[in-house]
Amino acid sequence: MTLKPWSECAARLVDVATGRSPADMVVRGARWVNVHSGEILGRRDAAIAAGRFAAIAEDLSYAIGPDTVVVEADGRYMVPGLCDAHMHVESGMVTVTEFARAVIPHGTTSMFIDPHEIANVLGLPGVRLMHDEALTLPVNIFVQMPSCVPSAPGLENAGAAIGPAEVAEAMTWPGIVGLGEMMNFPGVAAADARMLGEIASTMQAGKTVGGHYASPDLGRNFLGYVAGGPADDHEGTRLVDAVTRVRLGMRAMLRLGSAWYDVASQIKAVTELGLDARNFILCTDDSHSGTLVHEGHMNRVVRHAIQQGCKPVTAIQMATLNTAAHFGLERELGSIAPGRRADLILTSDLVTLPVETVIARGTVVAEHGRLVVDVPPYAYPAAARGTVKLGRPLTAADFEVAASAGAGEEVEARVIGVVENQAPTRALTRRLPVRDGKVETDPKEDVCRIALVERHRGLGTLTNGFVHGFGYDRPCAIASTVAHDSHHMIVVGTDRDDMARAANRLGEVGGGVVCISGGEELALVELPIAGLMSDERAEIVADKAAKLVAAMQLCGCRLNNAYMQHSLLALVVIPELRISDIGLVDVTKFEKVELFV
């Protein structure tokens, strides 16, 4: 339904609350989880009108008219609809619409999305596509304007560029709630005019600046970064990260995604140190389709926080009111209180949090894990497709690495080290054999090849390197056009022929993820929209993604959510060592380094 501003429906809300007019819906006999007071109040009714809460009281039978929809809570808990404070829809491999269809049954009714993946491929027009799609949906999806495209200027080349002028334009759009994560933390700390210009445009519009400080150094550079304006940060992995951010006036966003497990270490700031929980927020950043379909979304994060010793009401506050307040929307959503959007969950248990009924804007949208409203697909234009431009067919020779001049039987090479369940990588070195002037790898040492293939301008170029930690032990290759943040193509493999086949296959289908072993295609997830998203249902994509995971395991990989690790190997804003279209990047120094030591 189209939701009117509170000011335009205040008279109707007042009439329902005072009994002069019947409600559109009454939820009757619920235990009220009040995130404002931190209480659980027994046997309350909630009256809803014009998509907003009109009143909550012990008995609202007077608000029930002949056409009022009555939802019997039968003593279940009435919880505000859950909010995801920071995430990227594209990481779910589906469109905004399909993402919403997948998460609504899990109780997520508000999302704050940063579409910087599509921005790196299609620029401002791509952001506008997702922004406009979000406005058509029956839940609240707010957009943060991507701030860093490319994420690290001079260290990578994306398919587009965004600067202060684009940010200023986006701040006038109705669904923009702020600036997306400011990943160029060295730029902010150095008072870079472009970065501070984007922050200024956001502040002048009265909106929130998202943060991303991915360094363990909490000294002068961090102090400079905070002084520059970012209001939150989700990149903390240690207790000291959360504590330091909150003490300096930031909100600490604690994430539990498909591959990142950063809640347990940081929530101790609340559960053990007793810091004010109002400044802690839960988020996913990010969840792939398999996690969404089979495990949940923000309900999964809240359950996890409770398992780490957080009180249920406090964990719920971190996924509702705290998020709304952070984005200046406390009077609009995040709680069950008069005037707020009527978004709520009915659940029989606050610890395990089964989501039994979901109401969004005063409409029942899901029951017992199933969507009960029609959410039609959203059509993306032709301009959003056909974005994988290799320029030429690739061959096995493209993935050869020539040894340095004068090398003997071995070379010492820099190797990207994957860290399971975390976004950072390690900067390793390994002695690798040389045969006929070419550097080889040995699966027994768990070192395989990695290549970043340029795919935006059809230049036909690529960067070769080495990676440790995937465990591949047979001839194989995995290629993906999801390659944060510039989204070229990443190919990881043990066999050069398979690597060429995998890259060319994604060129044929317009993007996606593919696993090839011994010349045989084991799994393929087609992502034709910007090479990032499927136009199929989330359940179908999840099934294809599950086959991809199984194929990677068949090739010897035992990492939890190895695909997410694969997709971040080019993320040149998170330490320590990454690969980009210009070469290997030392992210501790923000400079290009040579492959050989």
Side-chain angles (χ1 to χ4, degrees), residues 57 75 88 132 172 221 223 267 273 279 294 315 358 429:
H88 310 281
D132 292 353
T172 66
N221 283 339
L223 294 175
I267 207 165
L273 301 184
N279 294 307
H294 302 299
V358 183
T429 59

Side-chain angles (χ1 to χ4, degrees), residues 104-125:
I104 289 170
H106 295 306
T108 300
T109 58
S110 296
M111 293 183 284
F112 296 81
I113 71 172
D114 180 354
H116 71 210
E117 322 304 351
I118 201 169
N120 273 272
V121 180
L122 298 174
L124 192 63

Side-chain angles (χ1 to χ4, degrees), residues 467-499:
V467 63
H468 165 83
F470 282 105
Y472 297 124
D473 58 8
R474 61 183 285 183
C476 66
I478 294 83
S480 171
T481 52
V482 178
H484 305 274
D485 275 327
S486 59
H487 296 291
H488 290 288
M489 182 192 297
I490 292 177
V491 189
V492 172
T494 60
D495 182 86
R496 294 191 296 271
D497 286 307
D498 283 345
M499 294 175 76

